[in-house]
Amino acid sequence: MSRRQPADATDMDRAAAVLRAGGLVAFPTETVYGLGADARNVDAVARIFAVKGRPTDHPLIVHLGDARQLAEWARDVPQSALQLAEAFWPGPLTLVLPRLAGVPDAVTGGLDTVALRVPGHPVALALLAAFGGGLAAPSANGYGRVSPTSAGDVVEELGDAVDMVLDGGRCAVGIESTIVDLSSDPPRVLRPGPITERDLQRVLGRPLAKTVDAHVRSPGRKPSHYAPRARVVLASSDDVGQHVEAWRERGQRVGVLAPHRPEGLPDDVTWLHFTGGVRKQAHALYRRLREADHLGLQVLVTVMPPDLEVGQALCDRLRRAAGLGDGADPTVQPVQRSTSDA
Ligand code: TXA
Ligand code: MG
């Protein structure tokens, strides 16, 4: 079967047929590309885990074409869910709600809740409309790897294991949706993302719960994730040069991910642009991590964005890319001098 398809209306019918037959279709969303399967078909869902190499107790997000379908998946849809859906769907927000009995364990990892989202990309919405039901879809990358933000990235990640890849261009947002847990009160952010806590509070009209123990409540959020092959080192604009020197001394091929080319950067060190505000940085993040791998970099020294608003999501992804996820610390790492003086 041919793999990569420019997405037009006739392709949607073919893609929906592939899904009904239990196949896997990768599709664009506004955040990252998803690897979709019929969320009611446990064999198809099992294929997602096999293709990604993902442990089966890590639950998946069910993508819906319309907020009215919430009642087909959630047992109990509180007013807060309707308010958030109204304000942010279609868009980069995932709601965790108590699940209906019929939602397969394969999707929820056996939890009593289900994660639901209406994505804001026209190709995703056209696919969901053609298919009619819910699509279980994790990001379309190998387990623990960098999420794909173009159809080419999906092919690079998963190759022939996918039955069809719909090409909807480069993802506009570039990092995964915000996940908010509405199964307990007050609501709690499980994964920071493009919709900030402030955005959520504005709509809910009240504060959220503190994001402690989110890793316990959201299995599959692990300390090492979103990782390129290069070692990611977290720096500040003040100590970036020292980090670079320390890794060069060890003979490593070093790159820098920073808003500006640091002054005095040696010629053999590649600077990867990370310019603009945090939304622009979010758009570029995974592409840059992939570029680091294409360039064969061994170490990527990263100047951390401010840990505020959408910057919180960026810092979260970068910490995990560095293998240092969970909790607010560390924001940056100490400079590691060569082992001889350690
Ligand atoms: O933007 C996104 O959310 C992308 C696009 C494709 O929609 N999807 C995505 O899926 O990032 P994935 O599988 O890579 O991440 C889903 C996250 C996992 O961390 C998982 O633990 C959490 O959602 N999750 C899913 N169901 C959950 C539940 N019932 N309770 C708590 N966390 C849940
Ligand atoms: Mg993922």
Side-chain angles (χ1 to χ4, degrees):
M1 198 178 298
S2 75
R3 306 270 182 288
R4 193 162 152 189
Q5 302 289 332
D8 67 26
T10 49
D11 290 324
M12 286 317 151
D13 293 334
R14 278 211 313 124
V18 169
L19 292 166
R20 279 186 208 107
L24 301 184
V25 174
F27 62 96
T29 82
E30 78 283 32
T31 59
V32 300
Y33 274 70
L35 176 60
D38 177 355
R40 303 267 184 206
N41 179 336
V42 292
D43 295 326
V45 171
R47 276 191 66 202
I48 290 180
F49 288 93
V51 164
K52 279 188 63 106
R54 169 158 159 154
T56 52
D57 61 346
H58 288 196
L60 303 175
I61 297 170
V62 177
H63 296 68
L64 305 175
D66 193 297
R68 278 172 298 200
Q69 294 170 329
L70 271 176
E72 296 166 25
W73 301 85
R75 178 166 78 229
D76 169 17
V77 182
Q79 188 60 28
S80 54
L82 299 175
Q83 288 172 316
L84 293 176
E86 169 73 24
F88 298 114
W89 282 355
L93 180 69
T94 296
L95 304 179
V96 171
L97 292 167
R99 69 157 160 172
L100 276 175
V103 180
D105 281 339
V107 170
T108 66
L111 295 176
D112 192 36
T113 53
V114 61
L116 299 160
R117 133 168 151 91
V118 176
H121 190 295
V123 172
L125 290 171
L127 177 66
L128 285 160
F131 177 64
L135 289 180
S139 51
N141 51 278
Y143 181 59
R145 289 262 313 141
V146 178
S147 301
T149 55
S150 75
D153 295 349
V154 175
V155 174
E156 181 176 287
E157 283 291 316
L158 302 176
D160 289 351
V162 184
D163 297 309
M164 191 168 173
V165 180
L166 295 171
D167 190 344
R170 174 79 52 189
C171 299
V173 174
I175 57 168
E176 300 80 356
S177 61
T178 304
I179 303 179
V180 56
D181 183 2
L182 298 175
S183 70
S184 60
D185 204 69
R188 176 192 308 269
V189 172
L190 299 179
R191 178 174 71 184
I195 309 278
T196 66
E197 276 201 39
R198 202 214 298 238
D199 296 332
L200 297 168
Q201 282 177 10
R202 182 171 44 76
V203 170
L204 294 173
R206 61 197 174 112
L208 304 177
K210 287 262 167 291
T211 312
V212 284
D213 297 338
H215 58 291
V216 177
R217 311 210 33 181
S218 196
R221 299 234 62 217
K222 54 196 192 88
S224 173
H225 204 158
Y226 316 111
R229 274 178 283 279
R231 171 199 292 266
V232 173
V233 173
L234 311 182
S236 71
S237 52
D238 293 333
D239 64 10
V240 55
Q242 292 171 60
H243 279 286
V244 166
E245 263 329 293
W247 287 102
R248 267 176 94 236
E249 275 168 22
R250 296 174 175 197
Q252 298 285 292
R253 217 163 144 178
V254 181
V256 170
L257 182 64
H260 309 284
R261 186 181 173 92
E263 240 174 87
L265 197 70
D267 287 343
D268 61 325
V269 176
T270 311
W271 169 52
L272 298 177
H273 298 233
F274 205 36
T275 48
V278 283
R279 288 193 187 272
K280 217 171 149 198
Q281 289 184 313
H283 176 73
L285 177 66
Y286 292 142
R287 184 155 35 142
R288 294 292 176 267
L289 295 184
R290 252 169 225 287
E291 279 169 18
D293 282 347
H294 295 157
L295 291 166
L297 299 181
Q298 292 165 299
V299 176
L300 184 64
V301 178
T302 304
V303 174
M304 290 295 268
D307 199 353
L308 289 170
E309 302 285 313
V310 180
Q312 285 190 325
L314 280 172
C315 289
D316 170 77
R317 305 305 189 273
L318 283 166
R319 270 185 222 113
R320 287 171 207 272
L324 298 168
D326 286 339
D329 303 319
T331 308
V332 294
Q333 294 172 264
V335 176
Q336 296 195 13
R337 288 281 160 207
S338 61
T339 39
S340 56
D341 59 41

